[in-house]
Amino acid sequence: MRNITTTTRKMLLLVITILLGIAYHGEAIACPQVNMYLAQCLPYLKAGGNPSPMCCNGLNSLKAAAPEKADRQVACNCLKSVANTIPGINDDFAKQLPAKCGVNIGVPFSKTVDCNSIN
């Protein structure tokens, strides 16, 4: 019985190690995650004014989740897609959002940005 438990533990450890390796080498960010971070920003993106603290917190979370160039390019494409899909998003408000929150995430908010040029 003990051999089965030891074998099971070894297999479980191996599976966890493989999954961590896949997660580490795969994209660290995806569009649903980007959308979740910035969902609280929709009122600001449509009407302007001041972004809510929850919106700015989401922007900070997005910055932390997209530390690498590839992550920022994925986030850029997600933001561009949302901006072109959801009616009423004002491109000028979107461009001003990082400055209004005091967060430089390295991803311009624009419907027309070339995401391949992000560094």
Side-chain angles (χ1 to χ4, degrees), residues 31-72:
C31 287
Q33 187 178 6
V34 172
N35 296 343
M36 180 189 69
Y37 288 141
L38 298 182
Q40 296 296 321
C41 297
L42 279 176
Y44 165 79
L45 293 171
K46 290 182 175 186
N50 291 313
S52 70
M54 290 178 68
C55 168
C56 293
N57 287 341
L59 197 59
N60 274 311
S61 295
L62 176 58
K63 179 180 180 178
E68 303 293 327
K69 175 182 174 180
D71 297 321
R72 289 189 296 274

Side-chain angles (χ1 to χ4, degrees), residues 5-22:
T5 304
T6 303
T7 302
T8 302
R9 286 183 188 170
K10 287 179 182 179
M11 290 301 294
L12 183 58
L13 183 60
L14 178 63
V15 169
I16 290 171
T17 303
I18 291 170
L19 289 175
L20 288 174
I22 290 170

